[in-house]
Amino acid sequence: MDIFLQQLVNGLTIGSIYALVALGYTMVYGVLKLINFAHGDLVALSAYIGLVIMMQLAGALSPVLLIITTFIATMIIIATAGVILERTAYRPLRKAPRLSAVVSALGASLVIENGIMLIWGPMPRIFPASAVPNANYNIGNVYISLMQVLVLIISFVLMVALYFFVNRTKLGTAMRACAIDQDAARLMGIDVNRVIVTTFVIGSALGAVGGLFIGMYYRGIHFNMGWIYGLNAFVAAIIGGIGNIPGAMLGGILLGIFNAFISGYLSSSWALALTYVLLIVIMIIRPTGILGERVAEKV
Amino acid sequence: MDTKKIVSYGVFFAALIIVPFIFNSNWTSVFTTFLIYSAVALSQDIVLGRAGMFDMGHAIFFGLGAYSTAILNMVYGWPILATIPVAIILPVIASILLAAPIIHLRGDYLLVTTIGFNIVFIQALKNNVFGITGGPNGIFGVEPLKLFGFSFSSQTSIYFLAFFVLILTLIIIHNLETSKPGRALHYLNEDSLASECIGINTRFYRLYAFGLSAAVAGLAGVVFTLQFSAVSPDAFDFIQSVLFFTIVLVGGPSSIPGVLLGTFFMFVVPEMFRQFAEARYLVFGIAMILIMIFRPKGIWPVKFGKIPNYITKE
């Protein structure tokens, strides 16, 4: 029972990180119908940028202020990178065949990944152990580290904020309208370009938080980690139903818990394979994901 | 085939024949890789370009072919020649079994599911499933192919073996283009619902495309094993599948010259820029974006003879 609860806590932590990254995929897919393959690499980039900022400011600020500054600065930088990505790689292809945009996304992913390698080198980098004080809380026989508490609380707050943004604000409504039908949205007077830029800003900023969490939680970061974290998060988005924001959150958390249980009870070397077996099974049973709606084939 | 086509293929083949005689063995090996990957890219094109299905797990079939030969030779002691039929048939069976339950999925879902298959495949190889795949290091020391007492062990002989496989692939694709299944795939790609309405069994032809492309990829896998006399999981990772996917789209779907050109850019050009090894994938990424912006249909898009423009337009 203790192992069960412990793995549940670990799974929830990893799952919240996946969920944050998955939101970026699902929002872009919702609006542009494009798998943003470069999103995972933006997540990796955010871990590197966060590390640089943290090292630069290490002595100058108090620990709490240091963390807050790192998060805010990284989110701003990655959001800018997301907007540049949209401008250069996706906007010129908006009227092109869909597969061209996919190749452009793959190209952008190569550029970011190898850019990271050229700047910071091919060796893994390690986050300082002191980034977050290594405190453990003991509830019954279950250990929760301060880092895990932070991940859970911040992710929860961000997801609730996003939910209210999308459902209660004007811009959020415009975003949902664009996801349903861009042309109709344009006819209703919605500035579609502005909505798409907003989507990239929010998606990238959430991905930046995910990337920083990955860095601080696992501590080791690698220039090509974007692919595997990105794909896992993308699987989370698909499991939940791609284009569906609560779906991405649910999918991320389910995937994290699933992963943790596989690692805990079976073996960690099969965890990745079983994640994709889960994906394939869900695709066969429910091709649009758990919360996804059935889409009628347009004739 | 018109004269222009015959002449250009003649020049292309003639150029390939003289390669091993004018280049040293390092470059011959680079061009061998080019020939092998061309065959795989052309087989990927059957599924992606001709049938219009987003398959991003094509390295599975390439890898199954390569691993079948290596395992049968090293673990069970079969001669290479006897392993070739297995290395063709096994990928075909696998492709049909894998594709059958997911063939109805729409574009992006199919793409992600096939990536999923590829990742499961690599994990199985790395975890040394059944104890015969050699784990993360793969299998080393596969024998050369022996045919009528001649042993294909020199780089030049393997080059011509790969050349033979590429010609075989081109013949298969030429036959496909002019046959009933080829036309069926073309209609399927244009409009699957309409093709179903005119009596094309879409499910059958989709599986047909997967099976045929898996057979070609499996055969190319055999030559891959022979070239390196080894196999390792990393050569068949999903990143490789992504690469084949990209080659077809950058070169031009269902265009043979386009796919060959794409393979050339992705495999031979990087070798020429070895001194910039570090930055070359960065440059490639930029090139991919630029090519897609300026030529969204690929570098050398296929032109359909007499079909009016308003039909071929997206």
Side-chain angles (χ1 to χ4, degrees):
Chain A
M1 196 58 194
D2 292 338
I3 302 178
F4 178 84
L5 287 176
Q6 186 66 57
Q7 291 301 339
L8 192 67
V9 170
N10 295 347
L12 272 175
T13 315
I14 309 164
S16 324
I17 301 178
Y18 283 154
L20 285 177
V21 181
L23 284 168
Y25 279 108
T26 222
M27 287 166 72
V28 170
Y29 194 91
V31 176
L32 284 185
K33 299 287 175 285
L34 164 76
I35 306 177
N36 180 8
F37 278 108
H39 187 61
D41 297 291
L42 280 183
V43 170
L45 180 66
S46 71
Y48 275 89
I49 287 177
L51 181 61
V52 168
I53 295 174
M54 214 174 255
M55 296 307 226
Q56 289 293 321
L57 300 177
L61 297 169
S62 67
V64 178
L65 211 57
L66 175 67
I67 297 279
I68 294 174
T69 321
T70 309
F71 269 91
I72 292 176
T74 312
M75 281 166 81
I76 292 172
I77 295 172
I78 297 297
T80 317
V83 173
I84 295 172
L85 178 74
E86 195 269 331
R87 273 287 163 97
T88 51
Y90 301 149
R91 191 174 291 185
L93 282 159
R94 221 174 276 162
K95 295 271 178 277
R98 290 192 48 210
L99 278 176
S100 313
V102 172
V103 173
S104 181
L106 290 169
S109 158
L110 268 184
V111 171
I112 300 173
E113 182 182 315
N114 288 282
I116 295 175
M117 192 197 74
L118 288 175
I119 297 172
W120 287 288
M123 298 306 287
R125 289 295 185 99
I126 309 292
F127 260 76
S130 58
V132 171
N134 191 16
N136 277 314
Y137 305 99
N138 211 340
I139 306 166
N141 282 322
V142 179
Y143 289 94
I144 295 188
S145 69
L146 180 61
M147 187 64 222
Q148 286 178 316
V149 175
L150 270 182
V151 169
L152 290 171
I153 292 176
I154 295 178
S155 315
F156 182 74
V157 169
L158 285 176
M159 286 189 243
V160 171
L162 180 71
Y163 185 80
F164 279 107
F165 172 78
V166 171
N167 286 295
R168 298 289 161 82
T169 65
K170 228 174 161 181
L171 201 53
T173 311
M175 203 179 270
R176 282 183 293 142
C178 285
I180 296 168
D181 190 333
Q182 269 190 31
D183 290 329
R186 192 173 286 117
L187 292 176
M188 293 295 114
I190 293 171
D191 183 348
V192 174
N193 274 334
R194 193 170 141 227
V195 169
I196 291 173
V197 167
T198 314
T199 308
F200 271 86
V201 166
I202 296 174
S204 308
L206 291 174
V209 177
L212 286 172
F213 281 157
I214 290 170
M216 291 172 172
Y217 188 60
Y218 291 106
R219 296 196 42 220
I221 54 174
H222 199 242
F223 78 97
N224 56 14
M225 71 180 196
W227 260 106
I228 213 67
Y229 284 111
L231 268 179
N232 271 343
F234 186 66
V235 168
I238 287 199
I239 288 175
I242 192 146
N244 183 316
I245 289 175
M249 301 174 188
L250 180 72
I253 287 166
L254 281 182
L255 190 67
I257 294 172
F258 179 79
N259 248 329
F261 281 142
I262 296 288
S263 308
Y265 286 104
L266 289 167
S267 85
S268 54
S269 59
W270 282 100
L272 188 64
L274 287 171
T275 304
Y276 287 90
V277 171
L278 175 76
L279 166 79
I280 293 159
V281 170
I282 287 182
M283 283 291 99
I284 293 172
I285 301 170
R286 229 187 125 74
T288 47
I290 299 171
L291 295 185
E293 293 155 30
R294 284 222 163 261
V295 187
E297 212 46 76
K298 274 183 199 162
V299 180
Chain B
M1 266 214 252
D2 51 28
T3 351
K4 209 170 125 195
K5 247 185 179 173
I6 293 171
V7 170
S8 47
Y9 273 110
V11 171
F12 176 64
F13 289 144
L16 282 180
I17 286 172
I18 57 170
V19 160
F21 302 110
I22 54 172
F23 289 107
N24 61 19
S25 82
N26 277 343
W27 279 103
T28 309
S29 122
V30 169
F31 276 99
T32 312
T33 316
F34 165 72
L35 293 173
I36 298 171
Y37 282 145
S38 294
V40 184
L42 286 167
S43 74
Q44 162 95 65
D45 183 47
I46 297 175
V47 179
L48 176 62
R50 286 163 207 278
M53 290 181 287
F54 300 3
D55 165 25
M56 224 189 236
H58 204 66
I60 300 173
F61 311 124
F62 183 41
L64 269 178
Y67 263 91
S68 311
T69 293
I71 290 171
L72 288 175
N73 180 254
M74 293 297 289
V75 180
Y76 299 103
W78 290 27
I80 296 292
L81 195 60
T83 68
I84 293 175
V86 181
I88 294 173
I89 293 166
L90 198 69
V92 173
I93 296 172
S95 75
I96 290 171
L97 288 181
L98 293 181
I102 58 161
I103 204 91
H104 59 279
L105 291 178
R106 285 180 303 132
D108 292 332
Y109 293 98
L110 187 63
L111 188 152
V112 174
T113 316
T114 48
I115 294 186
F117 280 135
N118 204 329
I119 291 178
V120 174
F121 175 66
I122 294 299
Q123 290 294 308
L125 292 180
K126 284 190 174 165
N127 284 315
N128 204 357
V129 72
F130 308 128
I132 51 174
T133 67
N137 296 323
I139 300 170
F140 291 91
V142 180
E143 287 170 16
L145 170 68
K146 289 194 183 67
L147 201 63
F148 308 118
F150 179 76
S151 170
F152 284 82
S153 48
S154 75
Q155 186 55 60
T156 311
S157 63
I158 293 175
Y159 177 85
F160 282 108
L161 200 65
F163 188 37
F164 172 72
V165 169
L166 179 65
I167 290 180
L168 208 62
T169 311
L170 288 172
I171 292 172
I172 290 172
I173 287 181
H174 177 73
N175 284 346
L176 183 71
E177 268 176 359
T178 51
S179 67
K180 187 185 165 205
R183 287 196 303 277
L185 290 183
H186 178 67
Y187 297 141
L188 198 76
N189 188 6
E190 292 287 313
D191 190 334
S192 86
L193 193 71
S195 59
E196 206 163 344
C197 292
I198 57 169
I200 292 170
N201 185 343
T202 50
R203 203 181 153 73
F204 172 80
Y205 281 110
R206 283 187 171 141
L207 289 177
Y208 179 95
F210 261 102
L212 184 65
S213 76
V216 175
L219 181 61
V222 175
V223 188
F224 183 86
T225 307
L226 294 176
Q227 186 187 359
F228 296 102
S229 61
V231 284
S232 74
D234 292 332
F236 314 108
D237 204 354
F238 74 94
I239 298 287
Q240 290 291 324
S241 297
V242 172
L243 207 56
F244 290 127
F245 188 87
T246 314
I247 284 173
V248 170
L249 294 170
V250 166
S254 68
S255 141
I256 292 173
V259 174
L260 292 176
L261 206 63
T263 318
F264 187 80
F265 272 115
M266 287 296 191
F267 287 104
V268 184
V269 177
E271 293 298 322
M272 296 175 184
F273 294 102
R274 267 281 136 132
Q275 62 269 43
F276 310 112
E278 294 262 282
R280 68 177 198 256
Y281 284 107
L282 185 89
V283 178
F284 265 99
I286 296 171
M288 273 158 71
I289 299 174
L290 289 179
I291 290 171
M292 283 301 117
I293 289 174
F294 293 112
R295 292 191 75 81
K297 288 186 171 173
I299 305 172
W300 195 318
V302 66
K303 286 197 181 75
F304 293 106
K306 294 198 172 59
I307 300 176
N309 267 338
Y310 61 86
I311 293 180
T312 51
K313 254 183 204 159
E314 288 275 331

